[in-house]
Amino acid sequence: MQKLGFLGLGIMGSAMARNLVDAGHDVTVWNRSSAKCDPLVKAGARQADTPAAVVSASDITFACVSDPEASSELCFGPDGVLEGMEKGKGYVDMSTIDLETSQIIEEAVIGEGGRYLEAPVSGSKTPAINGNLIILAAGERSLYEEALPAFDAMGKMSLYLGDVGSGAAMKLVVNMIMGTMMAAFTEGMSLAEKAGLSTQDLLAILDAGAISNPMFRVKGALMQDDEFSPAFPLKHAQKDIRLALLLGDLLGHGMPTTAAANEVFKRARSMGLDDNDFSAVFKASQS
Ligand code: NA7
């Protein structure tokens, strides 16, 4: 039986690791703040003291941490992933990070004889809990094949997209679209409020027409209740837009709509909304 490791038990990682345990996998976990390991241990996972110890104990180690800085620290830091890496072991970083950071990690893992995949996911808290994520994998093909049973436990669909960088880029494109949609949606909601219209009516009209989608439906209803607890933290949404813009810069690709959305998300961050759901960008549109 494959031994699996999981590093990073935030909103996403805790649900993903739990699905691995519930599917009967042998899982060793680590999180920077160790208390987040407790529910996983109660569910049947083992706990290790360092990322290196998880990698040593595992055939394939998955990670899901905040951003490029966190992924780099996890890999290159003291007692990090590289210190446990050995020939043949697999490392799968499922965080949303930029292409360059992913390529640097790939090179380092291969340098230790290991195999690397980037596998960012589309979907936030509820799809993570329900095992309905969409997994965008790229890198070492043999590792992708071996990781498929784990991906099946965490997601409803997984794709192999080619060389490292293509999974990261695809994820940034998806979240750039989602972030700009959310910015336009909340701007429209707040314009409706200012015009004295019923936002309830607006939501019903949107839902009945051609731009109906689950995000407007679910987040729109929560906004009506002033409910912004994080399924997808706003700070991560802005990070993804920022990284997508960086990709556009590198490719000389104009992204005026995304750049405008980024400004609204930056304003929301300056209003202290980092740890709210990304739909709290509504509050920046209202101000
Ligand atoms: P959360 O809930 O903000 O969780 C972030 C996780 O990353 C959490 O386990 C953090 O540990 C961990 N983290 C943050 N910085 C570090 C460093 N420097 N070293 C090790 N671990 C770190 O985010 P989500 O679960 O919603 O999202 C995770 C990723 O998926 C992200 O890329 C999203 O864009 C998509 P902590 O618990 O704070 O000790």
Side-chain angles (χ1 to χ4, degrees):
M1 191 193 201
Q2 274 179 336
K3 290 189 184 306
L4 305 181
F6 209 104
L7 308 172
L9 303 172
I11 293 173
M12 298 299 287
S14 58
M16 292 153 80
R18 179 62 194 251
N19 280 330
L20 293 178
V21 173
D22 289 351
H25 291 286
D26 179 334
V27 185
T28 304
V29 298
W30 173 89
N31 192 66
R32 184 178 58 175
S33 353
S34 64
K36 289 188 189 167
C37 295
D38 296 349
L40 269 301
V41 170
K42 278 205 187 88
R46 299 169 219 271
Q47 181 176 354
D49 290 339
T50 64
V54 172
V55 174
S56 290
S58 307
D59 302 310
I60 304 177
T61 300
F62 300 87
C64 191
V65 292
S66 313
D67 52 24
E69 292 71 29
S71 279
S72 297
E73 200 177 326
L74 195 60
C75 181
F76 298 102
D79 297 318
V81 167
L82 282 190
E83 293 191 20
M85 190 48 67
E86 287 168 29
K87 191 170 166 30
K89 284 186 184 287
Y91 183 52
V92 183
D93 194 336
M94 305 186 79
S95 322
T96 301
I97 58 175
D98 59 299
L99 290 66
E100 194 190 357
T101 303
S102 189
Q103 282 154 353
I104 291 169
I105 293 173
E106 175 192 34
E107 201 176 311
V109 168
I110 291 174
E112 296 296 324
R115 295 175 296 157
Y116 176 74
L117 266 188
E118 63 187 8
V121 297
S122 184
S124 61
K125 185 178 178 180
T126 303
I129 290 171
N130 295 336
N132 280 335
L133 295 168
I134 301 164
I135 295 163
L136 309 175
E140 172 59 47
R141 181 98 207 197
S142 68
L143 179 55
Y144 174 75
E145 306 291 346
E146 285 168 37
L148 270 177
F151 288 159
D152 286 346
M154 295 186 275
K156 64 176 177 186
M157 174 181 175
S158 57
L159 294 100
Y160 178 77
L161 297 168
D163 291 340
V164 165
S166 9
M170 186 65 86
K171 174 65 201 277
L172 295 179
V173 170
V174 170
N175 273 23
M176 171 224 103
I177 295 171
M178 186 173 74
T180 52
M181 277 175 69
M182 180 58 85
F185 176 52
T186 55
E187 198 167 287
M189 287 279 281
S190 55
L191 178 64
E193 279 179 343
K194 290 239 167 77
L197 301 172
S198 152
T199 49
Q200 196 108 35
D201 286 347
L202 172 62
L203 291 175
I205 294 162
L206 291 175
D207 202 37
I211 58 167
S212 161
N213 68 69
M215 184 175 84
F216 290 178
R217 193 176 313 125
V218 172
K219 300 296 185 185
L222 292 170
M223 275 173 215
Q224 298 286 96
D225 295 339
D226 210 26
E227 169 55 57
F228 297 102
S229 57
F232 178 34
L234 188 139
K235 63 186 174 194
H236 295 332
Q238 194 271 326
K239 174 254 308 180
D240 293 354
I241 294 173
R242 178 171 55 79
L243 295 178
L245 286 170
L246 184 67
L247 180 60
D249 281 356
L250 289 171
L251 298 174
H253 182 65
M255 296 171 64
T257 311
T258 312
N262 190 38
E263 291 305 315
V264 193
F265 275 93
K266 279 161 63 182
R267 187 141 52 84
R269 294 196 69 173
S270 72
M271 291 167 66
L273 299 170
D274 266 7
D275 293 318
N276 285 236
D277 188 67
F278 81 125
S279 53
V281 74
F282 186 34
K283 294 183 184 174
S285 299
Q286 284 172 313
S287 65

